[in-house]
């Protein structure tokens, strides 16, 4: 009797072991991941555009094992990679415009994000893929997926997967603050409200397509990026309050917007991925999290810099160890900071895919 029970238990363990191990790795918690937005999540789509907003040359990517500059605006992994890891994948799904986004890889999802992009259909269209175009690419992706996997599997992948939206920073940083046609017409709060109207429509479109799990990034503390301190800091060394106030207003309205979207769609899981709080803490109290430098970027901080595009091999004084820098270039956190941010909202990601 006892022996029989032991055998039974043993076989249950073996079964469970087989189900969860499948080749030594745990099964991902969702069929696939889809990513939309800007350079904080772009894994190389801009490599396939004629644009100056590219990160496919050294020292970008220098802390990857093979030191390859993939197009990520970072020394290593970015938000989309860490989020994909949290749900059981090795890295972000491939950049949609890359040759990797074909065949079996279609089953992993796709990354449609484009550096310098935003919600607003703006004048920077020619250097990045607009949100409107990213959604068109998603439609196109779905036809490819259906052709590869059949339409019923395609539908179940689309409805079961995790959707990530990360945009808004460029709408302010590369557009609103430098474009008089925008700031003469609307104050920053009106502009934020306008962006959120566009965001709501995007969520509705994704919902209509079948999306049921959506994570949307808040704005970061715009005033704490080294580029902002150089351009708007007037020689003071702290974060720029006006820019952070704009981000906080936007985030407060994002909270209300997401709240009313949740009320409207009861079968939609949608959550805010708060990057403001951890990045503000990293920027203002780096030592408390094991970082040494938050004011200067590892690469490309000088008095002349106006954008992250100033980080390249000719940049003097690129730091030796980016692990202790909060900012890799003047517009993007380092891999180490990206990890802190994603760890901060890991529970929200787990809830979305539960
Ligand atoms: C909005 O903020 C409140 C208070 O902090 C919080 O309880 C709520 O979960 C937030 N809503 C969303 C959608 O994140």
């Amino acid at each position: 009797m006892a022996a029989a029970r032991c055998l039974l238990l043993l076989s249950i363990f073996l079964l469970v072991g087989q189900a969860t191990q499948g080749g030594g790795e745990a099964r991902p918690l969702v069929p696939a991941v889809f990513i939309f937005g800007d350079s904080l999540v772009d894994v190389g789509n801009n490599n396939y555009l004629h644009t100056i907003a590219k990160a496919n040359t050294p020292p970008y990517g220098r802390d990857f094992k093979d030191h390859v500059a993939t197009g990520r605006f970072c020394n290593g992994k970015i938000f989309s990679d860490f989020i994909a890891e949290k749900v059981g994948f090795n890295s972000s799904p491939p950049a949609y415009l890359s040759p990797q986004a074909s065949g079996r890889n279609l089953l992993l999802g796709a990354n449609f994000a484009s550096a310098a992009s935003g919600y607003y259909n703006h004048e920077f269209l020619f250097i990045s893929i607009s949100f409107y175009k990213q959604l068109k690419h998603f439609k196109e992706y779905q036809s490819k997926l259906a052709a590869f996997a059949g339409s019923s599997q395609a539908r179940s992948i689309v409805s079961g997967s995790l959707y990530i939206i990360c945009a808004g920073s460029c709408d302010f940083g590369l557009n609103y603050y430098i474009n008089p046609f925008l700031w003469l017409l609307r104050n920053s709060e009106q502009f934020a409200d306008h962006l959120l109207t566009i965001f709501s429509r995007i969520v509705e479109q994704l919902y209509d397509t079948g999306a049921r799990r959506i994570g949307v990034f808040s704005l970061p503390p715009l005033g704490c990026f080294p580029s902002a301190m150089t351009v708007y800091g007037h020689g003071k060394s702290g974060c720029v309050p006006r820019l952070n106030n704009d981000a906080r207003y936007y985030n407060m309205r994002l909270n209300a917007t997401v709240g009313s979207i949740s009320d409207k769609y009861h079968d939609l899981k949608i959550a805010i991925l708060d990057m403001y709080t951890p990045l503000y803490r990293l920027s203002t109290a780096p030592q408390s999290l094991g970082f040494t430098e938050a004011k200067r970027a590892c690469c490309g901080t000088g008095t002349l810099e106006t954008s992250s595009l100033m980080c390249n091999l000719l940049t003097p004084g690129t730091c030796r160890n980016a692990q202790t820098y909060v900012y890799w270039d003047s517009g993007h956190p380092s891999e180490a900071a990206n990890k802190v941010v994603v760890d901060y909202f890991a529970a929200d990601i787990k809830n979305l895919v539960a």
Side-chain angles (χ1 to χ4, degrees), residues 234-255:
H234 307 296
K236 297 206 189 83
S237 75
C239 304
V240 184
R242 174 170 71 97
L243 273 56
N244 281 355
N245 287 342
D246 289 346
R248 276 207 301 274
Y249 174 83
Y250 173 98
N251 290 342
M252 187 185 80
R253 300 291 303 152
L254 175 65
N255 179 297

Side-chain angles (χ1 to χ4, degrees), residues 268-295:
L268 173 68
K269 282 186 162 185
I270 180 165
I272 295 171
L273 309 177
D274 174 11
M275 70 165 140
Y276 188 100
T277 308
L279 270 178
Y280 185 79
R281 216 175 131 211
L282 280 164
S283 302
T284 54
Q287 282 84 3
S288 70
L289 294 154
F291 289 74
T292 59
E293 180 61 72
K295 291 192 167 64

